[in-house]
Amino acid sequence: DVLGSRGLGDVYKRQEYHEREYEGTRFAFYLNYNESAVTVNGVNGHDLISNEEINGDMVIERLGVKIVKCTPA
């Protein structure tokens, strides 16, 4: 899967987005292969790496990873 539908514009081919469910909880994995930061829109949940809440836009640093425990809709 790629993040093309997640507002990343022309660089969508250099990101990956994977979603998995475990014991009723959804987790989203974002990988940024770019040499610059990217913004992903519409993310709601808790980043398990940085320990921050995300409500809306999320920045993934260059060559970065985010693992988000998603908030139920």
Side-chain angles (χ1 to χ4, degrees):
D1 297 345
V2 295
L3 291 171
S5 63
R6 295 267 190 185
L8 293 176
D10 295 335
V11 296
Y12 74 92
K13 292 181 182 176
R14 298 188 67 190
Q15 287 81 44
E16 289 186 32
Y17 168 78
H18 303 277
E19 193 172 289
R20 301 290 182 262
E21 187 170 320
Y22 178 74
E23 295 184 357
T25 301
R26 237 174 10 101
F27 295 90
F29 302 85
Y30 300 86
L31 305 166
N32 176 16
Y33 299 122
N34 288 291
E35 290 293 331
S36 59
V38 293
T39 300
V40 181
N41 309 104
V43 178
N44 294 297
H46 184 85
D47 181 357
L48 298 178
I49 295 174
S50 68
N51 200 31
E52 63 186 351
E53 290 299 317
I54 302 165
N55 294 303
D57 294 345
M58 174 180 69
V59 175
I60 306 173
E61 297 302 323
R62 68 179 214 56
L63 305 173
V65 175
K66 294 280 187 176
I67 301 173
V68 178
K69 180 179 177 183
C70 301
T71 302

